[in-house]
Amino acid sequence: IEQGISNDTLSKAFSNWEPIEKVLFYDRKQPEFSRTFWGYMERAISEERIARGQILLKKHAKLFNEVEKKFGVQPRFLVAFWGLESNFGDYTGGFPVVGALATLAHDTRRREFFTKELLLALKILDEGHIDFDRMLGSWAGAMGQTQFMPSTFTGYALSLIHI
């Protein structure tokens, strides 16, 4: 409430909230930290994913070139992150973002970081950017095709209209 989040949003977010045990399990078993770099890369990158990325790079060349002109980010990096983070939007996660972030904010390991992310996720909902039932993401609260954390969304996301 002190952050300007409405009672309605807070009620919807926390009326039936319980910590999600699977989130805590995944937090302690992140593949980025439990595999070697090459082991992680071998599982994350395939010839099929590279080929699909090349097709999508051409298909969306106009948009990628506009983004590069405006922000200086090369299209190949955008496509690589898109493929790595969600397999080009095929899998954006199935965890309720607020529930996952609340679980991690409730945990003591990285409470400050996840509390900040939780408040920003609530702000995104409160401002009507997405409906509660559609705000699904990773176990860590990353959202969408590029798996942005709420702070990345609130800090940098733009509508395609603005590009």
Side-chain angles (χ1 to χ4, degrees):
I1 290 172
E2 291 172 6
Q3 300 287 323
I5 299 164
S6 72
N7 281 326
D8 185 49
T9 296
L10 292 170
S11 293
K12 285 180 186 174
F14 297 114
S15 62
N16 296 315
W17 178 78
E18 289 184 23
I20 304 170
E21 292 300 319
K22 202 168 190 180
V23 166
L24 297 174
F25 172 80
Y26 287 143
D27 181 49
R28 285 156 177 77
K29 302 286 184 193
Q30 295 181 53
E32 295 90 339
F33 303 123
S34 61
R35 292 188 191 126
T36 66
F37 173 77
W38 294 113
Y40 178 78
M41 294 303 283
E42 283 177 14
R43 289 189 61 146
I45 299 172
S46 67
E47 292 299 323
E48 295 84 13
R49 190 173 280 175
I50 291 168
R52 187 171 174 201
Q54 290 170 333
I55 291 167
L56 291 169
L57 192 60
K58 290 176 186 169
K59 180 179 179 180
H60 301 292
K62 183 177 185 263
L63 175 61
F64 286 131
N65 290 331
E66 290 175 24
V67 170
E68 182 179 21
K69 281 181 195 169
K70 185 163 184 153
F71 301 104
V73 180
Q74 295 178 29
R76 62 187 173 135
F77 295 118
L78 296 171
V79 171
F81 283 120
W82 184 22
L84 185 62
E85 291 296 335
S86 71
N87 197 30
F88 308 106
D90 288 349
Y91 185 73
T92 57
F95 287 91
V97 169
V98 169
L101 292 171
T103 298
L104 292 165
H106 183 260
D107 190 38
T108 57
R109 283 180 11 132
R110 296 183 283 167
R111 177 173 283 163
E112 187 177 325
F113 173 77
F114 285 108
T115 298
K116 178 181 131 191
E117 296 298 329
L118 173 60
L119 291 169
L120 291 171
L122 293 168
K123 179 180 176 186
I124 291 167
L125 288 163
D126 205 47
E127 292 176 354
H129 294 289
I130 190 168
D131 295 329
F132 273 85
D133 59 337
R134 292 187 57 232
M135 194 180 211
L136 301 174
S138 76
W139 61 265
M143 315 172 298
Q145 294 197 20
T146 52
Q147 293 293 281
F148 285 168
M149 291 301 289
S151 58
T152 305
F153 179 90
T154 58
Y156 302 103
L158 296 173
S159 165
L160 289 177
I161 296 167
H162 295 106
I163 294 180

